[in-house]
Amino acid sequence: MLDGFLALYVFMLAAFTGYEIIARVPVILHTPLMSGSNFVHGIVLVGAMIALGHAQTPLEIGIGFAGVLLGAGNAAGGYVVTERMLEMFKSSRPGGEAR
């Protein structure tokens, strides 16, 4: 019983801390932070693949498959968004020269 309350407490503390940290990030730093977070999404995807590989029951396989599917979509979407954000910083001058 105590383990459930401890897990809930840690989750709530992590959610609050994450919200407070992200809310204070200047707009100019969002692109590099998103690029770095794509690395974390890749690690989550690898973890989901390992969990799926060790799954034995149909429920475990279903949850593992959903984890891999959502992790892959999250990682791919993060790279697409990062690429689009980086396009905003490219020069519109002929020859691609920066100012």
Side-chain angles (χ1 to χ4, degrees):
M1 181 75 172
L2 184 62
D3 289 337
F5 284 121
L6 183 61
L8 180 63
Y9 175 73
V10 169
F11 176 77
M12 289 173 36
L13 185 62
F16 176 75
T17 304
Y19 177 78
E20 289 298 317
I21 289 172
I22 295 300
R24 288 176 168 75
V25 172
V27 175
I28 193 74
L29 293 180
H30 278 271
T31 301
L33 286 176
M34 282 188 64
S35 232
S37 71
N38 287 335
F39 172 74
V40 175
H41 296 304
I43 293 173
V44 169
L45 180 59
V46 169
M49 288 179 185
I50 291 171
L52 179 59
H54 290 272
Q56 295 177 354
T57 67
L59 178 63
E60 291 173 350
I61 292 171
I63 291 172
F65 180 76
V68 170
L69 189 67
L70 292 172
N74 199 7
Y79 283 112
V80 169
V81 169
T82 301
E83 182 65 29
R84 291 179 78 189
M85 291 178 80
L86 290 174
E87 285 290 323
M88 295 185 330
F89 294 107
K90 288 188 177 177
S91 175
S92 60
R93 292 181 178 184
E97 296 176 7
R99 288 185 182 192

Coordinates of all heavy atoms in Angstrom, one line a residue:
M1 N 0.8 -1.2 0.0 CA 0.0 0.0 0.0 C 0.9 1.3 0.0 O 0.6 2.2 -0.7 CB -0.9 -0.1 1.2 CG -1.9 1.1 1.3 SD -3.1 0.9 0.1 CE -4.2 2.2 0.6
L2 N 1.9 1.2 0.8 CA 2.8 2.4 0.9 C 3.6 2.6 -0.4 O 3.8 3.7 -0.8 CB 3.8 2.2 2.1 CG 4.7 3.4 2.3 CD1 3.9 4.6 2.7 CD2 5.7 3.1 3.4
D3 N 3.9 1.5 -1.1 CA 4.6 1.6 -2.4 C 3.8 2.4 -3.4 O 4.3 3.2 -4.2 CB 4.9 0.3 -2.9 CG 6.0 -0.5 -2.1 OD1 6.8 0.2 -1.4 OD2 6.1 -1.7 -2.2
G4 N 2.5 2.2 -3.4 CA 1.6 2.9 -4.3 C 1.6 4.4 -4.0 O 1.7 5.3 -4.9
F5 N 1.5 4.8 -2.8 CA 1.5 6.2 -2.4 C 2.9 6.8 -2.7 O 2.9 8.0 -3.1 CB 1.2 6.4 -0.9 CG -0.2 6.2 -0.6 CD1 -0.7 5.2 0.3 CD2 -1.2 7.0 -1.2 CE1 -2.0 5.0 0.6 CE2 -2.5 6.8 -0.9 CZ -2.9 5.8 0.0
L6 N 3.9 6.1 -2.5 CA 5.3 6.6 -2.8 C 5.4 6.8 -4.3 O 6.0 7.9 -4.7 CB 6.4 5.6 -2.3 CG 7.8 6.1 -2.5 CD1 8.1 7.4 -1.7 CD2 8.8 5.0 -2.0
A7 N 5.0 5.9 -5.1 CA 5.0 6.1 -6.5 C 4.2 7.3 -7.0 O 4.7 8.0 -7.8 CB 4.6 4.8 -7.2
L8 N 3.0 7.4 -6.4 CA 2.2 8.6 -6.8 C 2.9 9.9 -6.3 O 2.8 10.9 -7.1 CB 0.8 8.4 -6.1 CG -0.2 9.6 -6.4 CD1 -0.5 9.6 -7.8 CD2 -1.4 9.4 -5.5
Y9 N 3.5 9.9 -5.2 CA 4.2 11.1 -4.7 C 5.3 11.4 -5.6 O 5.5 12.6 -6.0 CB 4.7 10.8 -3.3 CG 5.5 12.0 -2.7 CD1 4.9 13.2 -2.4 CD2 6.9 11.8 -2.6 CE1 5.7 14.2 -1.9 CE2 7.7 12.9 -2.2 CZ 7.1 14.1 -1.8 OH 7.9 15.1 -1.3
V10 N 6.1 10.4 -6.0 CA 7.3 10.7 -6.9 C 6.8 11.2 -8.3 O 7.3 12.1 -8.8 CB 8.1 9.4 -7.1 CG1 9.1 9.6 -8.2 CG2 8.8 9.1 -5.7
F11 N 5.7 10.6 -8.8 CA 5.1 11.0 -10.0 C 4.6 12.5 -10.0 O 4.9 13.3 -10.9 CB 4.0 10.1 -10.5 CG 3.3 10.6 -11.7 CD1 3.9 10.4 -13.0 CD2 2.1 11.2 -11.7 CE1 3.3 10.8 -14.1 CE2 1.4 11.6 -12.8 CZ 2.0 11.4 -14.0
M12 N 3.9 12.8 -8.9 CA 3.4 14.2 -8.8 C 4.5 15.2 -8.6 O 4.5 16.3 -9.2 CB 2.4 14.3 -7.6 CG 1.1 13.6 -7.9 SD 0.0 13.4 -6.5 CE 0.2 14.9 -5.6
L13 N 5.5 14.8 -7.9 CA 6.7 15.7 -7.7 C 7.4 15.9 -9.0 O 7.8 17.0 -9.3 CB 7.6 15.1 -6.6 CG 8.8 16.0 -6.2 CD1 8.4 17.3 -5.6 CD2 9.7 15.2 -5.2
A14 N 7.6 14.8 -9.8 CA 8.3 14.9 -11.1 C 7.5 15.8 -12.0 O 8.1 16.6 -12.8 CB 8.5 13.6 -11.6
A15 N 6.2 15.6 -12.1 CA 5.3 16.4 -13.0 C 5.4 17.9 -12.6 O 5.5 18.7 -13.5 CB 3.9 15.9 -12.9
F16 N 5.3 18.2 -11.3 CA 5.3 19.6 -10.9 C 6.7 20.2 -11.2 O 6.8 21.3 -11.8 CB 5.0 19.7 -9.4 CG 5.2 21.1 -8.9 CD1 4.2 22.0 -9.1 CD2 6.3 21.5 -8.1 CE1 4.3 23.3 -8.6 CE2 6.4 22.7 -7.6 CZ 5.5 23.7 -7.9
T17 N 7.8 19.5 -10.9 CA 9.1 20.0 -11.2 C 9.3 20.2 -12.6 O 9.9 21.2 -13.1 CB 10.2 19.0 -10.6 OG1 9.9 18.8 -9.2 CG2 11.6 19.6 -10.8
G18 N 8.9 19.2 -13.5 CA 9.1 19.4 -14.9 C 8.3 20.6 -15.5 O 8.8 21.3 -16.3
Y19 N 7.1 20.8 -15.0 CA 6.3 21.9 -15.5 C 7.0 23.2 -15.1 O 7.1 24.1 -15.9 CB 4.9 21.8 -14.9 CG 4.1 23.0 -15.2 CD1 3.5 23.1 -16.5 CD2 3.9 24.1 -14.3 CE1 2.7 24.2 -16.9 CE2 3.1 25.2 -14.7 CZ 2.6 25.2 -15.9 OH 1.8 26.3 -16.3
E20 N 7.5 23.3 -13.9 CA 8.1 24.6 -13.4 C 9.4 24.9 -14.2 O 9.7 26.0 -14.5 CB 8.4 24.5 -11.9 CG 7.1 24.6 -11.0 CD 6.4 25.9 -11.2 OE1 7.0 27.0 -11.3 OE2 5.1 25.8 -11.3
I21 N 10.1 23.8 -14.5 CA 11.4 24.0 -15.2 C 11.1 24.5 -16.7 O 11.7 25.4 -17.2 CB 12.3 22.8 -15.2 CG1 12.8 22.6 -13.7 CG2 13.4 22.8 -16.2 CD1 13.5 21.3 -13.5
I22 N 10.2 23.7 -17.3 CA 9.9 24.0 -18.7 C 9.3 25.4 -18.9 O 9.5 26.1 -19.8 CB 9.1 22.9 -19.3 CG1 9.8 21.6 -19.4 CG2 8.6 23.3 -20.7 CD1 11.1 21.6 -20.2
A23 N 8.4 25.8 -17.9 CA 7.7 27.1 -18.0 C 8.7 28.2 -18.0 O 8.4 29.3 -18.4 CB 6.7 27.2 -16.9
R24 N 9.9 28.0 -17.4 CA 10.9 29.1 -17.2 C 11.9 29.1 -18.4 O 12.9 29.9 -18.3 CB 11.5 29.0 -15.9 CG 10.6 29.4 -14.8 CD 11.3 29.2 -13.4 NE 10.5 29.8 -12.3 CZ 9.4 29.4 -11.8 NH1 8.9 28.3 -12.3 NH2 8.8 30.0 -10.8
V25 N 11.8 28.3 -19.3 CA 12.8 28.2 -20.4 C 12.5 29.3 -21.4 O 11.4 29.4 -21.9 CB 12.8 26.8 -21.1 CG1 13.7 26.8 -22.3 CG2 13.2 25.7 -20.2
P26 N 13.5 30.1 -21.8 CA 13.2 31.2 -22.8 C 12.9 30.5 -24.2 O 13.4 29.4 -24.5 CB 14.6 31.9 -22.9 CG 15.4 31.5 -21.7 CD 14.8 30.2 -21.2
V27 N 12.2 31.2 -25.0 CA 11.7 30.7 -26.3 C 12.9 30.3 -27.2 O 12.8 29.3 -27.9 CB 10.8 31.8 -27.0 CG1 10.4 31.3 -28.3 CG2 9.6 32.0 -26.1
I28 N 14.0 31.1 -27.1 CA 15.1 30.9 -28.0 C 15.8 29.5 -27.7 O 16.4 28.9 -28.6 CB 16.1 32.0 -27.9 CG1 17.2 31.9 -29.0 CG2 16.8 32.0 -26.6 CD1 16.6 32.3 -30.4
L29 N 15.6 29.0 -26.5 CA 16.2 27.7 -26.1 C 15.4 26.5 -26.4 O 15.8 25.3 -26.2 CB 16.6 27.7 -24.7 CG 17.7 28.7 -24.3 CD1 18.0 28.6 -22.8 CD2 19.0 28.4 -25.0
H30 N 14.1 26.7 -26.9 CA 13.3 25.5 -27.1 C 13.8 24.6 -28.2 O 13.7 23.4 -28.0 CB 11.8 26.0 -27.4 CG 11.1 26.3 -26.2 ND1 10.3 25.4 -25.5 CD2 10.9 27.5 -25.5 CE1 9.8 25.9 -24.4 NE2 10.1 27.2 -24.4
T31 N 14.3 25.1 -29.3 CA 14.8 24.2 -30.3 C 16.0 23.3 -29.9 O 15.9 22.1 -30.1 CB 15.3 25.1 -31.6 OG1 14.1 25.9 -32.0 CG2 15.7 24.2 -32.7
P32 N 17.0 23.9 -29.2 CA 18.1 22.9 -28.7 C 17.6 21.9 -27.7 O 18.0 20.8 -27.7 CB 19.1 23.9 -28.1 CG 18.8 25.2 -28.6 CD 17.4 25.3 -29.0
L33 N 16.6 22.4 -26.9 CA 16.1 21.4 -25.9 C 15.3 20.3 -26.5 O 15.3 19.2 -26.1 CB 15.3 22.2 -24.8 CG 16.0 23.0 -23.8 CD1 15.1 23.8 -22.9 CD2 17.0 22.1 -23.0
M34 N 14.5 20.7 -27.5 CA 13.7 19.7 -28.3 C 14.7 18.7 -29.0 O 14.4 17.5 -29.0 CB 12.8 20.3 -29.3 CG 11.6 20.9 -28.7 SD 10.4 21.4 -29.9 CE 10.0 19.8 -30.7
S35 N 15.8 19.2 -29.5 CA 16.7 18.3 -30.1 C 17.3 17.3 -29.1 O 17.5 16.1 -29.4 CB 17.9 19.2 -30.7 OG 18.1 18.9 -32.0
G36 N 17.6 17.8 -28.0 CA 18.2 16.9 -26.9 C 17.1 15.9 -26.4 O 17.4 14.8 -26.1
S37 N 15.9 16.4 -26.4 CA 14.8 15.5 -25.9 C 14.6 14.3 -26.9 O 14.1 13.3 -26.5 CB 13.6 16.2 -25.6 OG 12.9 16.7 -26.7
N38 N 14.9 14.5 -28.2 CA 14.7 13.5 -29.1 C 15.6 12.3 -28.8 O 15.3 11.1 -29.0 CB 15.0 14.0 -30.5 CG 13.9 14.8 -31.0 OD1 12.7 14.7 -30.6 ND2 14.2 15.7 -32.0
F39 N 16.8 12.6 -28.2 CA 17.7 11.5 -27.8 C 17.0 10.7 -26.7 O 17.1 9.5 -26.7 CB 19.0 12.2 -27.3 CG 19.9 11.2 -26.6 CD1 20.6 10.3 -27.4 CD2 20.1 11.2 -25.3 CE1 21.5 9.4 -26.8 CE2 21.0 10.3 -24.7 CZ 21.7 9.4 -25.4
V40 N 16.3 11.3 -25.8 CA 15.6 10.6 -24.7 C 14.5 9.8 -25.3 O 14.3 8.7 -24.8 CB 15.1 11.6 -23.6 CG1 14.3 10.9 -22.6 CG2 16.3 12.4 -23.0
H41 N 13.8 10.3 -26.3 CA 12.7 9.5 -26.9 C 13.3 8.3 -27.5 O 12.7 7.2 -27.5 CB 12.0 10.3 -27.9 CG 11.3 11.5 -27.3 ND1 10.3 11.4 -26.3 CD2 11.3 12.8 -27.6 CE1 9.9 12.6 -26.0 NE2 10.5 13.5 -26.8
G42 N 14.5 8.3 -28.1 CA 15.2 7.2 -28.7 C 15.5 6.1 -27.6 O 15.3 4.9 -27.8
I43 N 15.9 6.6 -26.4 CA 16.2 5.6 -25.4 C 14.9 5.0 -24.9 O 14.9 3.8 -24.6 CB 16.9 6.4 -24.2 CG1 18.3 6.8 -24.7 CG2 17.0 5.5 -23.0 CD1 19.0 7.7 -23.7
V44 N 13.8 5.8 -24.8 CA 12.5 5.2 -24.4 C 12.1 4.1 -25.4 O 11.6 3.1 -25.1 CB 11.4 6.3 -24.3 CG1 10.0 5.8 -24.2 CG2 11.8 7.2 -23.1
L45 N 12.3 4.4 -26.7 CA 12.0 3.4 -27.8 C 12.7 2.1 -27.6 O 12.2 1.0 -27.7 CB 12.2 4.1 -29.1 CG 11.9 3.2 -30.3 CD1 10.4 2.7 -30.3 CD2 12.2 3.9 -31.6
V46 N 14.0 2.2 -27.3 CA 14.8 1.1 -27.1 C 14.3 0.3 -25.9 O 14.2 -1.0 -25.9 CB 16.3 1.4 -26.9 CG1 17.2 0.3 -26.5 CG2 16.9 2.0 -28.2
G47 N 14.0 1.0 -24.8 CA 13.5 0.3 -23.6 C 12.1 -0.4 -23.9 O 11.9 -1.5 -23.4
A48 N 11.3 0.2 -24.7 CA 10.0 -0.4 -25.1 C 10.3 -1.6 -25.9 O 9.6 -2.7 -25.8 CB 9.1 0.6 -25.8
M49 N 11.3 -1.6 -26.8 CA 11.6 -2.8 -27.6 C 12.1 -3.9 -26.7 O 11.7 -5.1 -27.0 CB 12.6 -2.4 -28.7 CG 12.2 -1.6 -29.8 SD 13.6 -1.2 -30.9 CE 12.8 -0.1 -32.0
I50 N 12.9 -3.6 -25.8 CA 13.4 -4.6 -24.8 C 12.3 -5.2 -24.0 O 12.2 -6.4 -23.9 CB 14.5 -4.0 -23.9 CG1 15.8 -3.7 -24.8 CG2 14.9 -5.0 -22.8 CD1 16.8 -2.9 -24.0
A51 N 11.4 -4.4 -23.5 CA 10.2 -4.8 -22.8 C 9.3 -5.7 -23.7 O 8.8 -6.8 -23.2 CB 9.4 -3.7 -22.2
L52 N 9.2 -5.4 -24.9 CA 8.4 -6.2 -25.8 C 9.0 -7.5 -26.1 O 8.4 -8.6 -26.2 CB 8.1 -5.4 -27.1 CG 7.3 -6.1 -28.2 CD1 5.9 -6.5 -27.7 CD2 7.2 -5.3 -29.5
G53 N 10.3 -7.5 -26.2 CA 11.1 -8.7 -26.4 C 11.0 -9.7 -25.2 O 11.0 -10.9 -25.4
H54 N 10.7 -9.2 -24.0 CA 10.6 -10.1 -22.8 C 9.2 -10.4 -22.5 O 8.9 -11.1 -21.5 CB 11.3 -9.4 -21.6 CG 12.8 -9.4 -21.7 ND1 13.6 -10.4 -21.3 CD2 13.6 -8.5 -22.3 CE1 14.8 -10.1 -21.5 NE2 14.9 -8.9 -22.1
A55 N 8.2 -9.9 -23.3 CA 6.8 -10.1 -23.0 C 6.4 -11.5 -23.3 O 6.9 -12.2 -24.2 CB 6.0 -9.1 -23.9
Q56 N 5.5 -12.1 -22.4 CA 5.1 -13.5 -22.5 C 3.6 -13.6 -22.7 O 3.1 -14.5 -23.5 CB 5.6 -14.3 -21.3 CG 7.1 -14.3 -21.3 CD 7.6 -15.0 -20.0 OE1 6.8 -15.4 -19.1 NE2 8.9 -15.2 -19.9
T57 N 2.8 -12.8 -22.0 CA 1.4 -12.9 -22.1 C 0.8 -12.0 -23.2 O 1.5 -11.0 -23.6 CB 0.7 -12.6 -20.8 OG1 0.9 -11.2 -20.5 CG2 1.2 -13.4 -19.6
P58 N -0.3 -12.3 -23.7 CA -0.9 -11.4 -24.7 C -1.1 -9.9 -24.3 O -0.9 -9.0 -25.0 CB -2.3 -12.0 -25.1 CG -2.1 -13.4 -24.7 CD -1.2 -13.5 -23.6
L59 N -1.4 -9.8 -23.0 CA -1.5 -8.4 -22.4 C -0.2 -7.7 -22.5 O -0.1 -6.5 -22.9 CB -2.1 -8.4 -21.0 CG -2.2 -7.1 -20.3 CD1 -3.2 -6.2 -21.1 CD2 -2.6 -7.2 -18.9
E60 N 0.9 -8.4 -22.0 CA 2.2 -7.8 -22.1 C 2.7 -7.5 -23.5 O 3.3 -6.4 -23.7 CB 3.2 -8.7 -21.4 CG 3.1 -8.9 -19.9 CD 4.0 -10.0 -19.4 OE1 4.6 -10.7 -20.1 OE2 4.0 -10.1 -18.1
I61 N 2.4 -8.3 -24.4 CA 2.7 -8.1 -25.8 C 2.0 -6.9 -26.4 O 2.5 -6.0 -27.0 CB 2.4 -9.4 -26.7 CG1 3.4 -10.5 -26.3 CG2 2.6 -9.0 -28.2 CD1 3.1 -11.8 -26.9
G62 N 0.7 -6.8 -26.0 CA -0.1 -5.6 -26.5 C 0.4 -4.3 -25.9 O 0.5 -3.3 -26.6
I63 N 0.7 -4.3 -24.6 CA 1.2 -3.1 -24.0 C 2.6 -2.8 -24.6 O 2.9 -1.6 -24.9 CB 1.3 -3.2 -22.5 CG1 -0.1 -3.3 -21.9 CG2 2.1 -2.1 -21.8 CD1 -0.2 -3.6 -20.4
G64 N 3.4 -3.8 -24.8 CA 4.8 -3.6 -25.4 C 4.7 -3.0 -26.8 O 5.4 -2.1 -27.2
F65 N 3.8 -3.6 -27.6 CA 3.6 -3.1 -28.9 C 3.1 -1.7 -29.0 O 3.6 -0.8 -29.7 CB 2.6 -4.0 -29.7 CG 2.4 -3.6 -31.1 CD1 3.3 -3.8 -32.1 CD2 1.2 -2.9 -31.5 CE1 3.1 -3.4 -33.4 CE2 1.0 -2.5 -32.8 CZ 2.0 -2.8 -33.7
A66 N 2.2 -1.3 -28.1 CA 1.7 0.0 -28.0 C 2.8 1.0 -27.6 O 3.0 2.1 -28.1 CB 0.5 0.2 -27.0
G67 N 3.7 0.5 -26.7 CA 4.8 1.3 -26.2 C 5.8 1.6 -27.4 O 6.3 2.7 -27.5
V68 N 6.1 0.6 -28.1 CA 7.0 0.7 -29.3 C 6.4 1.6 -30.3 O 7.1 2.5 -30.9 CB 7.4 -0.7 -29.9 CG1 8.1 -0.5 -31.2 CG2 8.2 -1.5 -28.9
L69 N 5.1 1.4 -30.6 CA 4.4 2.3 -31.6 C 4.4 3.7 -31.2 O 4.8 4.6 -32.0 CB 3.0 1.8 -31.8 CG 2.2 2.4 -33.0 CD1 2.9 2.0 -34.3 CD2 0.8 1.9 -32.9
L70 N 4.0 4.0 -29.9 CA 4.0 5.4 -29.5 C 5.4 6.0 -29.3 O 5.5 7.2 -29.7 CB 3.2 5.5 -28.1 CG 1.7 5.1 -28.2 CD1 1.2 5.0 -26.8 CD2 1.0 6.2 -29.0
G71 N 6.3 5.2 -28.9 CA 7.7 5.7 -28.8 C 8.3 6.1 -30.1 O 8.9 7.1 -30.3
A72 N 8.0 5.2 -31.1 CA 8.5 5.5 -32.5 C 7.9 6.8 -33.1 O 8.5 7.6 -33.7 CB 8.3 4.3 -33.4
G73 N 6.6 6.9 -32.9 CA 5.9 8.1 -33.4 C 6.4 9.3 -32.7 O 6.5 10.4 -33.3
N74 N 6.6 9.2 -31.4 CA 7.1 10.4 -30.6 C 8.5 10.8 -31.1 O 8.8 12.0 -31.3 CB 7.1 10.1 -29.1 CG 7.1 11.3 -28.3 OD1 7.0 12.4 -28.8 ND2 7.3 11.1 -27.0
A75 N 9.4 9.9 -31.3 CA 10.7 10.2 -31.7 C 10.7 10.7 -33.1 O 11.4 11.8 -33.4 CB 11.6 8.9 -31.7
A76 N 10.0 10.1 -34.0 CA 9.9 10.6 -35.4 C 9.3 12.0 -35.5 O 9.8 12.9 -36.2 CB 9.2 9.6 -36.3
G77 N 8.2 12.2 -34.7 CA 7.6 13.5 -34.7 C 8.5 14.6 -34.2 O 8.5 15.7 -34.6
G78 N 9.3 14.2 -33.1 CA 10.2 15.2 -32.6 C 11.2 15.6 -33.6 O 11.6 16.8 -33.6
Y79 N 11.8 14.7 -34.4 CA 12.7 15.1 -35.4 C 12.1 15.9 -36.5 O 12.7 16.9 -37.0 CB 13.4 13.8 -36.0 CG 14.4 13.2 -35.1 CD1 14.2 12.0 -34.5 CD2 15.6 13.9 -34.8 CE1 15.2 11.5 -33.6 CE2 16.5 13.4 -33.9 CZ 16.3 12.2 -33.4 OH 17.2 11.6 -32.5
V80 N 10.9 15.6 -36.8 CA 10.2 16.5 -37.9 C 10.0 17.9 -37.4 O 10.3 18.9 -38.1 CB 8.8 15.8 -38.3 CG1 8.0 16.7 -39.1 CG2 9.1 14.5 -39.0
V81 N 9.5 18.0 -36.1 CA 9.3 19.3 -35.6 C 10.6 20.1 -35.4 O 10.7 21.3 -35.7 CB 8.6 19.2 -34.2 CG1 8.6 20.6 -33.5 CG2 7.2 18.7 -34.4
T82 N 11.7 19.4 -35.0 CA 13.0 20.1 -34.8 C 13.5 20.6 -36.2 O 14.0 21.7 -36.3 CB 14.0 19.1 -34.2 OG1 13.5 18.7 -32.9 CG2 15.3 19.8 -34.1
E83 N 13.3 19.7 -37.2 CA 13.8 20.1 -38.6 C 13.0 21.4 -39.1 O 13.6 22.3 -39.6 CB 13.6 19.0 -39.5 CG 14.0 19.2 -40.9 CD 15.5 19.5 -41.0 OE1 16.3 18.9 -40.2 OE2 16.0 20.2 -41.9
R84 N 11.7 21.4 -38.8 CA 10.9 22.5 -39.2 C 11.3 23.8 -38.5 O 11.3 24.9 -39.0 CB 9.4 22.3 -39.0 CG 8.9 21.2 -40.0 CD 7.4 20.9 -39.7 NE 6.6 22.0 -40.3 CZ 5.3 22.1 -40.1 NH1 4.7 21.3 -39.4 NH2 4.7 23.1 -40.7
M85 N 11.6 23.6 -37.2 CA 12.1 24.8 -36.4 C 13.4 25.3 -36.9 O 13.7 26.5 -36.9 CB 12.1 24.5 -34.9 CG 10.7 24.2 -34.3 SD 10.8 23.8 -32.6 CE 11.0 25.4 -31.9
L86 N 14.3 24.4 -37.2 CA 15.6 24.8 -37.7 C 15.5 25.5 -39.1 O 16.4 26.3 -39.4 CB 16.6 23.6 -37.8 CG 17.0 23.1 -36.4 CD1 17.8 21.8 -36.6 CD2 17.8 24.1 -35.6
E87 N 14.5 25.1 -39.9 CA 14.3 25.8 -41.2 C 14.0 27.3 -41.0 O 14.4 28.1 -41.8 CB 13.2 25.2 -41.9 CG 13.5 23.8 -42.5 CD 14.4 23.9 -43.7 OE1 14.3 24.9 -44.5 OE2 15.3 23.0 -43.8
M88 N 13.4 27.7 -39.8 CA 13.1 29.1 -39.6 C 14.4 29.9 -39.4 O 14.4 31.1 -39.7 CB 12.3 29.2 -38.3 CG 10.9 28.6 -38.5 SD 9.8 28.8 -37.1 CE 10.8 29.0 -35.7
F89 N 15.5 29.3 -39.0 CA 16.7 30.0 -38.8 C 17.6 30.1 -40.0 O 18.6 30.8 -40.0 CB 17.5 29.4 -37.6 CG 16.8 29.5 -36.3 CD1 16.2 28.4 -35.7 CD2 16.7 30.7 -35.7 CE1 15.5 28.5 -34.5 CE2 16.0 30.8 -34.5 CZ 15.5 29.7 -33.9
K90 N 17.3 29.4 -41.1 CA 18.1 29.5 -42.3 C 17.9 30.8 -43.0 O 16.8 31.4 -43.0 CB 17.8 28.3 -43.2 CG 18.3 27.0 -42.7 CD 18.1 25.9 -43.7 CE 18.7 24.7 -43.2 NZ 18.5 23.6 -44.1
S91 N 18.9 31.3 -43.7 CA 18.9 32.5 -44.4 C 18.0 32.4 -45.6 O 18.1 31.4 -46.3 CB 20.3 33.0 -44.7 OG 20.2 34.2 -45.5
S92 N 17.3 33.5 -46.0 CA 16.5 33.5 -47.2 C 17.3 34.1 -48.3 O 16.7 34.3 -49.4 CB 15.2 34.2 -47.0 OG 15.4 35.5 -46.6
R93 N 18.5 34.5 -48.1 CA 19.3 35.1 -49.1 C 19.8 34.0 -50.1 O 20.0 32.9 -49.7 CB 20.6 35.8 -48.5 CG 20.3 37.0 -47.7 CD 21.6 37.5 -47.2 NE 21.4 38.7 -46.5 CZ 22.4 39.4 -46.0 NH1 23.7 39.1 -46.1 NH2 22.2 40.5 -45.3
P94 N 20.0 34.4 -51.4 CA 20.5 33.5 -52.4 C 21.9 33.1 -51.9 O 22.7 33.9 -51.5 CB 20.6 34.2 -53.7 CG 19.7 35.4 -53.5 CD 19.6 35.7 -52.0
G95 N 22.3 31.8 -52.0 CA 23.6 31.3 -51.6 C 23.6 30.9 -50.2 O 24.6 30.3 -49.8
G96 N 22.6 31.1 -49.4 CA 22.5 30.6 -48.0 C 23.5 31.3 -47.1 O 23.8 30.8 -46.1
E97 N 23.9 32.5 -47.4 CA 24.8 33.3 -46.5 C 24.0 33.8 -45.3 O 22.9 34.3 -45.4 CB 25.4 34.4 -47.2 CG 26.3 34.0 -48.4 CD 26.9 35.3 -49.1 OE1 26.6 36.4 -48.6 OE2 27.5 35.1 -50.1
A98 N 24.7 33.7 -44.2 CA 24.1 34.3 -42.9 C 24.5 35.7 -42.8 O 25.5 36.1 -43.4 CB 24.5 33.4 -41.7
R99 N 23.8 36.5 -42.1 CA 24.2 37.9 -41.9 C 25.4 38.1 -41.1 O 25.8 37.5 -40.2 CB 23.0 38.7 -41.2 CG 21.9 38.8 -42.1 CD 20.9 39.7 -41.5 NE 19.7 39.8 -42.3 CZ 18.8 40.7 -42.2 NH1 18.8 41.5 -41.1 NH2 17.8 40.8 -43.0

